[in-house]
Amino acid sequence: MNFKTLDQIDFAGKTALVRVDINVPFENGQVSDFTRIDAVLPTIRDIAAAGGKVVLLAHFGRPKGKVVPEMSLRQVQPALEARLGQPVAFAEDCIGKPAKDAVSALKPGEVLLLENTRFHAGEEKNDKMLAAGLAALGDVYVNDAFSAAHRAHASTEGIAKLLPSCAGRLMEAELTALDAALGNPQRPVVAVVGGAKVSTKLDLLGNLITKVDALVIGGGMANTFLAAMGQPVGTSLCEHDLADTAREIITKAKAVGCKLVLPVDLVVAREFKAHADHQIVTECPADAMILDAGPASVEQIADIFSGSRTLIWNGPLGAFELEPFDTATNSAARKAAELTRAGTLVSVAGGGDTVAALNRAGAAQDFTYISTAGGAFLEWMEGKELPGVAALEAE
Ligand code: AMP
């Protein structure tokens, strides 16, 4: 990885355009989760402390190129001020006179939030004019929105080509953690891929088998693999039409020396609901569905974790929202947390339901790194180039 960080830029007296992800959830008119806001505070504070003027660029919701008052970032301004502990000015447009006037009024150490970049159709089209309009407002571009880096938008990619650019603290932390997990990991590396369907994670599986030493497949997608190997799956969630694809993945994994790990025992029930009557079996009955991996499978996974130096995890091992079918996910997550605490495992997780599943297990805080980025984390795990990151590296 080759990108500049905040430490390599002199911000004194300069205006820094900082792309952040503060697309926070609201409940009853109030921000209901501050995670994303808190995550960008170190970058804002460091630039302000270095005497820079901080101008925040961000999107909010999906206004699709129109001004939608319900998606105004003005609503996020009070929460940002409260978490930051200093005033945050606001401009009613991210380009043009309102933005220019607000930037001119800024003094070193002060912070300005610009209106939703997606109110302009040019944002998602990576329009050169919009990127130029944004770039005209400042001296330096800082990207701290890893979660938006898989999109080539004017505020994530186009602008980076027009100004000296660097990664913010959150972006730097994400990229460092991801590099330690898949770029230059300590081996052996084990990946856990769970979740509902193989079809949504084909690229992920294809990339991982070439990079990791063991790949644990769990959740609904394991059923597709079991069925492809001729095992009964009853009424389980299963993509029978992907049997050939699953067999190809098995063959390819063998060829490249990646150990594929599938459940050796199963927790089955007749209903998809919490506390449904359930059994532990090695073969799924015709009228039952697989909802979790069994205890022997968990033991096998724990052994693999113990023999690994690096773990990368996406997706639950079972229907984790329904007790007790969260057992395998919880046990494996706690084992990973324990090994991480002991210093023998570097553990990185992210994407979709994974963060929720690890939080439920009470394991998230012990992981080495939990990525809060959904789509960007998955695309990175798939081995795809992220335009927002590539633009920083091209500097
Ligand atoms: P994903 O979004 O692909 O990571 O999938 C997560 C979803 O997969 C969660 O809602 C889980 O409940 C679901 N899931 C995991 N294992 C199973 C299973 N064996 N049967 C049905 N759904 C499952």
Side-chain angles (χ1 to χ4, degrees), residues 113-127:
L113 172 63
L114 301 182
E115 183 57 288
N116 198 339
T117 52
R118 290 193 189 164
F119 280 0
H120 291 270
E123 165 71 328
E124 294 186 59
K125 293 188 185 131
N126 201 3
D127 176 61

Side-chain angles (χ1 to χ4, degrees), residues 194-197 200-201 219-220 223 237 272 290-291 315-316 318-321 353:
K197 292 183 171 178
T200 58
K201 296 193 181 171
N223 304 341
L237 173 66
F272 187 81
I290 303 162
L291 291 182
F320 79 101
E321 302 95 333
D353 283 333

